Amino acid sequence: MKKVLCVFFVFFCAFSAFGQENQGIKAIVNHYAARNFVAGTVSRSDLDQIIQAGVKAPSASNRQPWRFTVVQDQALAKQIVSNIVDGNVLIVISAAGDGKTNAREILDCALAAENIYLAAQTLGYGSRIYTGPMDALNRNLKGDLGLPVEHSAVVLVRVGRVQAVDAVSAASARKNASDVTVYK
Ligand SMILES: Cc1cc2nc3c(=O)[nH]c(=O)nc-3n(C[C@H](O)[C@H](O)[C@H](O)COP(=O)(O)O)c2cc1C
């Protein structure tokens, strides 16, 4: 009887592990760029966790060149992203340089942006990465944002409330891994 129970237990463990997706991979592959934000706040403690995810991003020679400017002021946020929804927060990531030719800093900021983007979704928020508003921001709003004079904004992540995923917000199709991957 003991033997039977043991065999049953081993099979039970094997089958319950089988088919369970790794949680980290799941968070990465299930993300989507939110379009349909709804009004609602992003709590300070969640923001702190989201920023912490950015702070933990890898960077070349661990230089951590970034600065995170968290824009909660709705009037200022609206000047950056015109279709802002009440409660949206913009996390502007800047680094020393012109934001166009400082390739190493741009890459580092991009990695921090991805961490922030995914962390927000892991906490149940919608998020979206933007580079479109960077030129206007760097031309007109660096002072309002209090960016260090030698910095330019590289990318921002918008974080806010979303309703349950709908067909518009759900991620668009990606290329097949086999079409963009070569194993040598
Ligand atoms: C570097 C970068 C810049 C982006 N800039 C903008 C932007 O300026 N405006 C915008 O609406 N979306 C922007 N996006 C969002 C992309 O359009 C979106 O991530 C992509 O279409 C995939 O969306 P999906 O994951 O929902 O399918 C940007 C994304 C990245 C990674």
PDB file of all heavy atoms in Angstrom, residues 31-33 35 117 128-133 169-172 174, ligand 1:
ATOM      1  N   HIS A  31       2.459  40.498 -22.144  1.00  0.00           N
ATOM      2  CA  HIS A  31       2.298  41.963 -22.077  1.00  0.00           C
ATOM      3  C   HIS A  31       1.631  42.497 -23.345  1.00  0.00           C
ATOM      4  O   HIS A  31       1.629  41.847 -24.389  1.00  0.00           O
ATOM      5  CB  HIS A  31       3.647  42.641 -21.875  1.00  0.00           C
ATOM      6  CG  HIS A  31       4.463  42.674 -23.140  1.00  0.00           C
ATOM      7  ND1 HIS A  31       4.273  43.626 -24.104  1.00  0.00           N
ATOM      8  CD2 HIS A  31       5.426  41.868 -23.597  1.00  0.00           C
ATOM      9  CE1 HIS A  31       5.097  43.412 -25.094  1.00  0.00           C
ATOM     10  NE2 HIS A  31       5.808  42.334 -24.811  1.00  0.00           N
ATOM     11  N   TYR A  32       1.085  43.679 -23.244  1.00  0.00           N
ATOM     12  CA  TYR A  32       0.571  44.389 -24.422  1.00  0.00           C
ATOM     13  C   TYR A  32       0.650  45.883 -24.136  1.00  0.00           C
ATOM     14  O   TYR A  32       0.647  46.301 -22.978  1.00  0.00           O
ATOM     15  CB  TYR A  32      -0.871  43.970 -24.748  1.00  0.00           C
ATOM     16  CG  TYR A  32      -1.867  44.386 -23.695  1.00  0.00           C
ATOM     17  CD1 TYR A  32      -2.582  45.580 -23.832  1.00  0.00           C
ATOM     18  CD2 TYR A  32      -2.069  43.611 -22.560  1.00  0.00           C
ATOM     19  CE1 TYR A  32      -3.487  45.971 -22.850  1.00  0.00           C
ATOM     20  CE2 TYR A  32      -2.964  44.012 -21.576  1.00  0.00           C
ATOM     21  CZ  TYR A  32      -3.667  45.181 -21.732  1.00  0.00           C
ATOM     22  OH  TYR A  32      -4.544  45.585 -20.762  1.00  0.00           O
ATOM     23  N   ALA A  33       0.726  46.662 -25.204  1.00  0.00           N
ATOM     24  CA  ALA A  33       0.810  48.121 -25.052  1.00  0.00           C
ATOM     25  C   ALA A  33      -0.607  48.669 -24.906  1.00  0.00           C
ATOM     26  O   ALA A  33      -1.385  48.644 -25.855  1.00  0.00           O
ATOM     27  CB  ALA A  33       1.504  48.719 -26.271  1.00  0.00           C
ATOM     28  N   ARG A  35      -3.933  50.703 -24.804  1.00  0.00           N
ATOM     29  CA  ARG A  35      -4.507  51.809 -25.577  1.00  0.00           C
ATOM     30  C   ARG A  35      -5.680  52.422 -24.836  1.00  0.00           C
ATOM     31  O   ARG A  35      -5.894  53.614 -24.865  1.00  0.00           O
ATOM     32  CB  ARG A  35      -5.013  51.301 -26.936  1.00  0.00           C
ATOM     33  CG  ARG A  35      -3.924  50.936 -27.900  1.00  0.00           C
ATOM     34  CD  ARG A  35      -4.508  50.226 -29.133  1.00  0.00           C
ATOM     35  NE  ARG A  35      -3.472  49.823 -30.071  1.00  0.00           N
ATOM     36  CZ  ARG A  35      -2.709  48.761 -29.914  1.00  0.00           C
ATOM     37  NH1 ARG A  35      -2.870  47.974 -28.860  1.00  0.00           N
ATOM     38  NH2 ARG A  35      -1.782  48.463 -30.800  1.00  0.00           N
ATOM     39  N   TYR A 117       7.862  49.066 -17.751  1.00  0.00           N
ATOM     40  CA  TYR A 117       6.676  48.680 -18.542  1.00  0.00           C
ATOM     41  C   TYR A 117       6.121  47.333 -18.065  1.00  0.00           C
ATOM     42  O   TYR A 117       4.917  47.185 -17.832  1.00  0.00           O
ATOM     43  CB  TYR A 117       7.131  48.628 -20.005  1.00  0.00           C
ATOM     44  CG  TYR A 117       6.198  48.016 -21.002  1.00  0.00           C
ATOM     45  CD1 TYR A 117       5.123  48.740 -21.519  1.00  0.00           C
ATOM     46  CD2 TYR A 117       6.416  46.728 -21.497  1.00  0.00           C
ATOM     47  CE1 TYR A 117       4.285  48.185 -22.481  1.00  0.00           C
ATOM     48  CE2 TYR A 117       5.587  46.171 -22.461  1.00  0.00           C
ATOM     49  CZ  TYR A 117       4.530  46.899 -22.942  1.00  0.00           C
ATOM     50  OH  TYR A 117       3.701  46.354 -23.891  1.00  0.00           O
ATOM     51  N   ARG A 128       2.442  51.687 -21.447  1.00  0.00           N
ATOM     52  CA  ARG A 128       2.809  51.859 -22.857  1.00  0.00           C
ATOM     53  C   ARG A 128       4.094  52.684 -22.925  1.00  0.00           C
ATOM     54  O   ARG A 128       4.251  53.659 -22.201  1.00  0.00           O
ATOM     55  CB  ARG A 128       1.673  52.571 -23.599  1.00  0.00           C
ATOM     56  CG  ARG A 128       1.843  52.615 -25.101  1.00  0.00           C
ATOM     57  CD  ARG A 128       0.673  53.277 -25.815  1.00  0.00           C
ATOM     58  NE  ARG A 128       0.835  53.158 -27.244  1.00  0.00           N
ATOM     59  CZ  ARG A 128       0.313  52.182 -27.987  1.00  0.00           C
ATOM     60  NH1 ARG A 128      -0.483  51.274 -27.434  1.00  0.00           N
ATOM     61  NH2 ARG A 128       0.542  52.124 -29.280  1.00  0.00           N
ATOM     62  N   ILE A 129       4.970  52.254 -23.789  1.00  0.00           N
ATOM     63  CA  ILE A 129       6.245  52.967 -23.987  1.00  0.00           C
ATOM     64  C   ILE A 129       6.052  54.001 -25.087  1.00  0.00           C
ATOM     65  O   ILE A 129       5.388  53.731 -26.091  1.00  0.00           O
ATOM     66  CB  ILE A 129       7.347  51.955 -24.382  1.00  0.00           C
ATOM     67  CG1 ILE A 129       7.604  50.963 -23.233  1.00  0.00           C
ATOM     68  CG2 ILE A 129       8.634  52.668 -24.783  1.00  0.00           C
ATOM     69  CD1 ILE A 129       8.517  49.793 -23.597  1.00  0.00           C
ATOM     70  N   TYR A 130       6.629  55.202 -24.913  1.00  0.00           N
ATOM     71  CA  TYR A 130       6.542  56.254 -25.934  1.00  0.00           C
ATOM     72  C   TYR A 130       7.916  56.866 -26.197  1.00  0.00           C
ATOM     73  O   TYR A 130       8.631  57.212 -25.249  1.00  0.00           O
ATOM     74  CB  TYR A 130       5.660  57.421 -25.460  1.00  0.00           C
ATOM     75  CG  TYR A 130       4.174  57.154 -25.386  1.00  0.00           C
ATOM     76  CD1 TYR A 130       3.635  56.424 -24.331  1.00  0.00           C
ATOM     77  CD2 TYR A 130       3.310  57.686 -26.335  1.00  0.00           C
ATOM     78  CE1 TYR A 130       2.279  56.208 -24.237  1.00  0.00           C
ATOM     79  CE2 TYR A 130       1.938  57.469 -26.244  1.00  0.00           C
ATOM     80  CZ  TYR A 130       1.430  56.733 -25.198  1.00  0.00           C
ATOM     81  OH  TYR A 130       0.084  56.511 -25.108  1.00  0.00           O
ATOM     82  N   THR A 131       8.239  57.027 -27.492  1.00  0.00           N
ATOM     83  CA  THR A 131       9.368  57.889 -27.860  1.00  0.00           C
ATOM     84  C   THR A 131       8.894  59.065 -28.718  1.00  0.00           C
ATOM     85  O   THR A 131       9.627  60.046 -28.868  1.00  0.00           O
ATOM     86  CB  THR A 131      10.459  57.111 -28.646  1.00  0.00           C
ATOM     87  OG1 THR A 131       9.837  56.448 -29.748  1.00  0.00           O
ATOM     88  CG2 THR A 131      11.159  56.101 -27.770  1.00  0.00           C
ATOM     89  N   GLY A 132       7.683  58.938 -29.270  1.00  0.00           N
ATOM     90  CA  GLY A 132       7.142  59.992 -30.158  1.00  0.00           C
ATOM     91  C   GLY A 132       7.221  61.397 -29.562  1.00  0.00           C
ATOM     92  O   GLY A 132       7.595  62.347 -30.265  1.00  0.00           O
ATOM     93  N   PRO A 133       6.861  61.574 -28.281  1.00  0.00           N
ATOM     94  CA  PRO A 133       6.836  62.943 -27.730  1.00  0.00           C
ATOM     95  C   PRO A 133       8.209  63.494 -27.322  1.00  0.00           C
ATOM     96  O   PRO A 133       8.283  64.607 -26.805  1.00  0.00           O
ATOM     97  CB  PRO A 133       5.961  62.786 -26.467  1.00  0.00           C
ATOM     98  CG  PRO A 133       5.361  61.412 -26.531  1.00  0.00           C
ATOM     99  CD  PRO A 133       6.279  60.599 -27.363  1.00  0.00           C
ATOM    100  N   SER A 169      -6.860  46.556 -27.156  1.00  0.00           N
ATOM    101  CA  SER A 169      -5.635  46.649 -26.354  1.00  0.00           C
ATOM    102  C   SER A 169      -4.761  45.406 -26.444  1.00  0.00           C
ATOM    103  O   SER A 169      -3.580  45.470 -26.173  1.00  0.00           O
ATOM    104  CB  SER A 169      -5.990  46.889 -24.883  1.00  0.00           C
ATOM    105  OG  SER A 169      -6.270  48.252 -24.690  1.00  0.00           O
ATOM    106  N   ALA A 170      -5.338  44.296 -26.787  1.00  0.00           N
ATOM    107  CA  ALA A 170      -4.551  43.058 -26.763  1.00  0.00           C
ATOM    108  C   ALA A 170      -3.379  43.155 -27.736  1.00  0.00           C
ATOM    109  O   ALA A 170      -3.454  43.839 -28.745  1.00  0.00           O
ATOM    110  CB  ALA A 170      -5.448  41.890 -27.130  1.00  0.00           C
ATOM    111  N   ALA A 171      -2.299  42.483 -27.390  1.00  0.00           N
ATOM    112  CA  ALA A 171      -1.079  42.592 -28.195  1.00  0.00           C
ATOM    113  C   ALA A 171      -1.314  42.177 -29.636  1.00  0.00           C
ATOM    114  O   ALA A 171      -2.042  41.223 -29.918  1.00  0.00           O
ATOM    115  CB  ALA A 171       0.008  41.727 -27.578  1.00  0.00           C
ATOM    116  N   SER A 172      -0.679  42.910 -30.550  1.00  0.00           N
ATOM    117  CA  SER A 172      -0.757  42.550 -31.956  1.00  0.00           C
ATOM    118  C   SER A 172       0.182  41.383 -32.239  1.00  0.00           C
ATOM    119  O   SER A 172       1.053  41.067 -31.426  1.00  0.00           O
ATOM    120  CB  SER A 172      -0.420  43.757 -32.829  1.00  0.00           C
ATOM    121  OG  SER A 172       0.360  44.684 -32.122  1.00  0.00           O
ATOM    122  N   ARG A 174       3.010  38.888 -33.466  1.00  0.00           N
ATOM    123  CA  ARG A 174       4.464  38.977 -33.583  1.00  0.00           C
ATOM    124  C   ARG A 174       4.937  38.009 -34.664  1.00  0.00           C
ATOM    125  O   ARG A 174       4.252  37.038 -34.992  1.00  0.00           O
ATOM    126  CB  ARG A 174       5.127  38.597 -32.252  1.00  0.00           C
ATOM    127  CG  ARG A 174       4.791  39.529 -31.101  1.00  0.00           C
ATOM    128  CD  ARG A 174       5.325  40.936 -31.354  1.00  0.00           C
ATOM    129  NE  ARG A 174       5.342  41.746 -30.149  1.00  0.00           N
ATOM    130  CZ  ARG A 174       4.367  42.576 -29.781  1.00  0.00           C
ATOM    131  NH1 ARG A 174       3.286  42.707 -30.506  1.00  0.00           N
ATOM    132  NH2 ARG A 174       4.474  43.283 -28.670  1.00  0.00           N
TER     133      ARG A 174
HETATM  134  C1  LIG B   1      10.784  52.217 -28.464  1.00  0.00           C
HETATM  135  C2  LIG B   1       9.288  52.303 -28.525  1.00  0.00           C
HETATM  136  C3  LIG B   1       8.693  53.505 -28.854  1.00  0.00           C
HETATM  137  C4  LIG B   1       7.294  53.614 -28.878  1.00  0.00           C
HETATM  138  N1  LIG B   1       6.714  54.828 -29.128  1.00  0.00           N
HETATM  139  C5  LIG B   1       5.388  54.939 -29.148  1.00  0.00           C
HETATM  140  C6  LIG B   1       4.784  56.222 -29.376  1.00  0.00           C
HETATM  141  O1  LIG B   1       5.458  57.237 -29.513  1.00  0.00           O
HETATM  142  N2  LIG B   1       3.428  56.279 -29.397  1.00  0.00           N
HETATM  143  C7  LIG B   1       2.646  55.163 -29.221  1.00  0.00           C
HETATM  144  O2  LIG B   1       1.411  55.284 -29.258  1.00  0.00           O
HETATM  145  N3  LIG B   1       3.204  53.942 -28.987  1.00  0.00           N
HETATM  146  C8  LIG B   1       4.533  53.807 -28.947  1.00  0.00           C
HETATM  147  N4  LIG B   1       5.111  52.584 -28.696  1.00  0.00           N
HETATM  148  C9  LIG B   1       4.247  51.406 -28.456  1.00  0.00           C
HETATM  149  C10 LIG B   1       4.335  50.415 -29.614  1.00  0.00           C
HETATM  150  O3  LIG B   1       3.600  50.900 -30.714  1.00  0.00           O
HETATM  151  C11 LIG B   1       3.817  49.049 -29.127  1.00  0.00           C
HETATM  152  O4  LIG B   1       4.636  48.627 -28.072  1.00  0.00           O
HETATM  153  C12 LIG B   1       3.841  48.022 -30.248  1.00  0.00           C
HETATM  154  O5  LIG B   1       2.976  48.419 -31.277  1.00  0.00           O
HETATM  155  C13 LIG B   1       3.431  46.663 -29.756  1.00  0.00           C
HETATM  156  O6  LIG B   1       2.173  46.740 -29.138  1.00  0.00           O
HETATM  157  P1  LIG B   1       1.474  45.441 -28.549  1.00  0.00           P
HETATM  158  O7  LIG B   1       2.448  44.786 -27.623  1.00  0.00           O
HETATM  159  O8  LIG B   1       0.240  45.903 -27.839  1.00  0.00           O
HETATM  160  O9  LIG B   1       1.164  44.569 -29.711  1.00  0.00           O
HETATM  161  C14 LIG B   1       6.488  52.464 -28.637  1.00  0.00           C
HETATM  162  C15 LIG B   1       7.105  51.254 -28.285  1.00  0.00           C
HETATM  163  C16 LIG B   1       8.480  51.176 -28.231  1.00  0.00           C
HETATM  164  C17 LIG B   1       9.124  49.857 -27.829  1.00  0.00           C
END
